[in-house]
Amino acid sequence: MCIVIIGLLLLLLYYSDSLLEGLQLSETIDQNVIVIAEGWEIIQAIWPFALFAFMSGVLVVLLALRLKSMLHEAKQNKEK
């Protein structure tokens, strides 16, 4: 199973590389466009958002697991 996950992560990394290669993070002030980051530099510029998204995902998983265990306990108590 770990080999499958590693393979999927490598495919995601390859896809991310091809996707990020042509992207730019820029800001427009009046008529001037200022490039803030290009390619993989974008990750450094938006890491707080990426961390927020990751932590939100972890929270959703933990809440789902807690809900599942609460429902399982309620079902066992109901059967007794």
Side-chain angles (χ1 to χ4, degrees):
M1 185 66 173
C2 290
I3 293 174
V4 172
I5 293 172
I6 291 171
L8 289 173
L9 285 173
L10 289 174
L11 284 173
L12 182 62
L13 181 64
Y14 176 75
Y15 173 73
S16 298
D17 183 49
S18 64
L19 182 68
L20 285 174
E21 186 176 319
L23 294 179
Q24 291 182 339
L25 181 62
S26 61
E27 184 175 351
T28 304
I29 301 174
D30 295 325
Q31 297 296 325
N32 300 327
V33 177
I34 300 170
V35 176
I36 298 171
E38 293 182 271
W40 281 98
E41 295 172 357
I42 294 172
I43 302 299
Q44 293 174 343
I46 62 167
W47 73 265
F49 175 73
L51 181 62
F52 175 76
F54 174 77
M55 295 302 288
S56 297
V58 169
L59 179 64
V60 167
V61 169
L62 291 175
L63 289 174
L65 290 173
R66 179 66 179 144
L67 180 64
K68 182 180 175 183
S69 84
M70 287 173 58
L71 291 174
H72 183 67
E73 288 175 12
K75 184 178 178 183
Q76 283 183 342
N77 289 338
K78 191 176 184 181
E79 290 176 354
K80 288 183 182 181

